[in-house]
Each structure stands twice: as structure tokens, then as C-alpha cells.
Amino acid sequence: MDKQESQSFGRCIWQARRKKGLNQRELAVKVGVDYTYLSKLENDHVEPSEKVIRSLAEHLSLNAEQLMYLAGRMTQNDSEAFEQLLKVNYKEMPALFRRMRESPGIDSLVKARDEQIVRLQKENAELRTKVEKLQKKLTLFKPYIFYSKEEIERKANEILHNMPNLHNDDAAKIPIDATRVCDYLNLSIDIEEILPDEHGLIVAKILPLERRILVNSGLPEMLGTFTEFTIAHEIGHWVLHINQEDADILSEEINENSDDENQVILFLCRSASSPIDKFEAFEWQAQYFASCLLMPRYVLQELRKERDLTNWKHLFIMAKELGVTISSLIYRLQNLGWIYIPKGSKQIYPGKIGLETEQPRMYYL
């Protein structure tokens, strides 16, 4: 646990969870909390109760007392010892507190603190200058590259094939958990409120230097299937559009305590009503990647057996088994050429292989 003392509480449980092979939802169920709360814990955005800390320690095989220290909480033994100290020395306590306030040593501590703040501000300024120079040499974002549907599907399948305990010949591993894919790619997920900017509502964003995906918790659509597809979409950006080696080099140069978000924000996922239509090619690629990741062809081939793809009832059952929305499933099946639905109609026809379909109205920047 000595190594853990040099890191944050959130980072400690994140690493321990991954070592145990658990995703956020699985650990959250064991601990008895919502997985969005666990996400906030792993990103050090909330303070855990002692009950949660001890439950985490139990399920992650960590030392509960030392985990309490990482969370900045006193253990029961500490509290009892402090109370005992007050009881034994209660007569001396007022004088002790008065001497502490009047001690000239306090002024020196304040001065030392101020000097430390000035030094850190100088170091941060130097760090920003260094990062700016690195950014001129490195390219975080790839220029536009045309990927065929086959190439995008191959990249998604490679990830699924290489992930532990998930193989292409095992169609029973559904629904596919996008958070487990993030763990495999060493990406973290945080669900928190994202305020709109001058362009409108933001659904999600990816921070490449932090290897972190943020999903907006303040949306009415923020339900399980919508969230999964949003996360899978951001994974698509990470795989297809970000120079991961350059991102890692830059991230090593950035102080972990820096609050300068201007260096890391990109790919702001907006609502369908947003008028912004920039980078549509990038966004179509990420969207198609997400559909391939959550609905692999080999899984669909198994699910379509004994089912009529022109029957809405059968499609709704398939969507539920896959853990996706019906519109996402329709989008995927039409891109595969297995079904065809004329624009403005609800009638499903047998597919025309190679048919191009209209993309869903989801814009990203």
C-alpha cells in the first residue's frame, strides 16, 4: 500500500478495479452504489463515506485503514485516540489553542504557504510554455483519412478479439459493455454535468491528454442504451482520429494538478438540434465504429437465426438483447444491407446489399 499513498483515492480504486477485471457497473453492484457515483469516486469528484470505503476495500482486496487515509478520513482508532486525548488534557486545551493562534510560527507557516503558491504558479507557467512548444511539434489529431466500412469494422473487431474474456466466437457475450472496452484501452469515464456553450447543448467530450471521456449527466436521454452508444462513439474518435502516441507524450509533460482544460478539450458531442455540421465525415466514422463495436456482425448473424428481420417485434427483441436503441439497430442492419426501409415509411423490406442509408442526426465538434 506504500505505492498507493503517493496517488489519489480515485486512482487507487480505479487501478484496483481493473486489476480485479471488474467494470464500473459490476463493482458498483457489489458495493451497493450507482455506477455513476462510482465514476465520480474514481475521478475524485465526491468524498466517500466510511461504509463505502470499507466495502470498496473488501471487494478490491485493499487495506481499509490505509484507503481511509487516502480518502482523507480519520479511522475509528484515530477518532477514539483524539477523543481520549481531549478527555485527558481538556484543561490544557484552551491554553494550547491560544498559544497556537498567538505563536509567531503561524506567520512563518503562512509566509511559506504563500511562497509555495508563487513557486507553483511559476512552474505551471513554465509548463504551459513547454506544452505549447511540444504541441507545435506533435499532432494530437489526425488529418482526415477515408476509412471504408470494412476498415472501420475491422478495427472494432480487433479490439473485441483482443479483449480478455471476450472472443469473436462467443456470441453470448451480449450486451457488449462499452465501459469494459474503455478499461481495456486504458480510458476512464466520468459522468458529470457539462454546461452548454455558445453553440448549444453538449452531450459528451473526450479529453485525450487525460485519456478520459466525459458524458453529460444533465440530459433527459441519459439512459443506459443512449449512454453506451455515446461512450462507444467517443471510443471511435479515440481509435480513428487521435494520435495516441503524441497524446501520451504530451500528457507526460502536463502536471497532474493542472486545471488548464483548454489544452485537452475536443470532440464536443452536441444534441441533434444543433445547427453545427462540421466534421461530418469524422462523426460518421465514429458513429459507424460505435455500431460495429456494440453490434458485431458475428453477433448479429447468431441473433438473426429463426427471426424475421422484416418483423418489428423481432427487431425490438434483438435491440433489447444487444442493449441498444431500436434506431441504432435499424441503422446497423441497413448499413449491412440486410433490411431496407424507404424514407418516411415504417414498412421493412428484405435488404439490398450495399445500399447506403441516411445517417442519424447527431452532430459532434
Side-chain angles (χ1 to χ4, degrees), residues 1-6 66:
M1 194 78 176
D2 292 340
K3 184 178 180 180
Q4 294 172 358
E5 293 176 357
S6 63
Q66 294 187 5

Side-chain angles (χ1 to χ4, degrees), residues 65-309:
E65 301 301 309
Q66 294 187 5
L67 198 59
M68 291 273 288
Y69 288 132
L70 276 183
R73 299 182 67 91
M74 296 179 67
T75 66
Q76 184 64 30
N77 291 337
D78 292 333
S79 299
E80 292 174 356
F82 186 69
E83 291 177 2
Q84 185 63 26
L85 179 66
L86 289 176
K87 289 179 181 179
V88 174
N89 301 282
Y90 71 95
K91 292 183 178 179
E92 291 81 9
M93 284 301 160
L96 175 61
F97 290 144
R98 184 170 59 253
R99 286 198 301 272
M100 289 176 62
R101 288 195 301 269
E102 296 172 352
S103 173
I106 296 298
D107 293 334
S108 63
L109 288 174
V110 172
K111 182 180 179 182
R113 181 203 62 186
D114 293 340
E115 291 175 350
Q116 177 77 348
I117 291 174
V118 172
R119 183 181 65 81
L120 290 174
Q121 290 174 340
K122 182 180 178 182
E123 289 179 356
N124 284 338
E126 293 173 350
L127 178 62
R128 281 192 290 270
T129 301
K130 188 175 182 180
V131 168
E132 288 172 0
K133 291 180 180 179
L134 275 171
Q135 285 178 322
K136 292 179 181 179
K137 297 179 181 179
L138 303 174
T139 305
L140 270 182
F141 318 126
K142 299 176 183 177
Y144 174 71
I145 300 173
F146 173 78
Y147 292 108
S148 67
K149 291 181 179 179
E150 293 74 20
E151 288 175 306
I152 295 174
E153 189 162 18
R154 177 177 55 80
K155 289 180 179 293
N157 284 338
E158 284 178 354
I159 292 175
L160 295 174
H161 178 76
N162 293 328
M163 283 178 60
N165 303 320
L166 185 61
H167 304 287
N168 285 2
D169 58 356
D170 188 356
K173 298 285 186 179
I174 56 173
I176 291 173
D177 189 343
T179 63
R180 188 179 289 278
V181 179
C182 283
D183 283 343
Y184 170 70
L185 296 175
N186 199 25
L187 295 171
S188 64
I189 305 169
D190 197 5
I191 299 177
E192 62 180 41
E193 183 179 7
I194 303 175
L195 298 177
D197 61 10
E198 67 274 15
H199 298 297
L201 193 63
I202 299 172
V203 177
K205 58 187 178 184
I206 183 169
L207 312 180
L209 299 186
E210 299 178 23
R211 303 183 73 99
R212 186 154 64 105
I213 293 172
L214 294 183
V215 180
N216 193 346
S217 63
L219 299 178
E221 304 97 329
M222 208 35 55
L223 304 174
T225 54
F226 182 84
T227 303
E228 286 293 316
F229 212 90
T230 299
I231 293 171
H233 183 106
E234 298 302 318
I235 294 173
H237 281 311
W238 176 259
V239 172
L240 301 174
H241 305 136
I242 294 176
N243 282 321
Q244 297 168 25
E245 291 184 0
D246 285 3
D248 288 341
I249 292 173
L250 279 169
S251 65
E252 290 177 0
E253 301 296 331
I254 293 180
N255 191 313
E256 292 183 358
N257 295 322
S258 174
D259 293 325
D260 190 357
E261 292 189 356
N262 293 326
Q263 301 168 4
V264 295
I265 296 178
L266 94 153
F267 291 133
L268 304 181
C269 167
R270 302 184 181 279
S271 70
S273 61
S274 171
I276 294 179
D277 59 358
K278 294 182 179 180
F279 309 121
E280 284 193 12
F282 287 95
E283 298 315 313
W284 180 88
Q285 290 175 348
Q287 195 80 340
Y288 191 72
F289 177 94
S291 69
C292 294
L293 187 72
L294 298 181
M295 295 171 281
R297 186 189 300 257
Y298 63 88
V299 170
L300 292 174
Q301 287 172 339
E302 290 296 320
L303 292 181
R304 72 180 295 184
K305 293 178 180 178
E306 308 299 329
R307 281 177 174 154
D308 179 6
L309 295 185

Side-chain angles (χ1 to χ4, degrees), residues 304-340:
R304 72 180 295 184
K305 293 178 180 178
E306 308 299 329
R307 281 177 174 154
D308 179 6
L309 295 185
T310 64
N311 185 311
W312 280 104
K313 182 179 180 180
H314 289 190
L315 294 183
F316 273 100
I317 293 174
M318 287 178 63
K320 184 176 181 180
E321 292 175 345
L322 289 163
V324 299
T325 62
I326 187 64
S327 60
S328 297
L329 177 60
I330 294 298
Y331 166 68
R332 175 70 165 138
L333 295 178
Q334 290 200 90
N335 270 286
L336 287 172
W338 293 1
I339 63 172
Y340 169 57

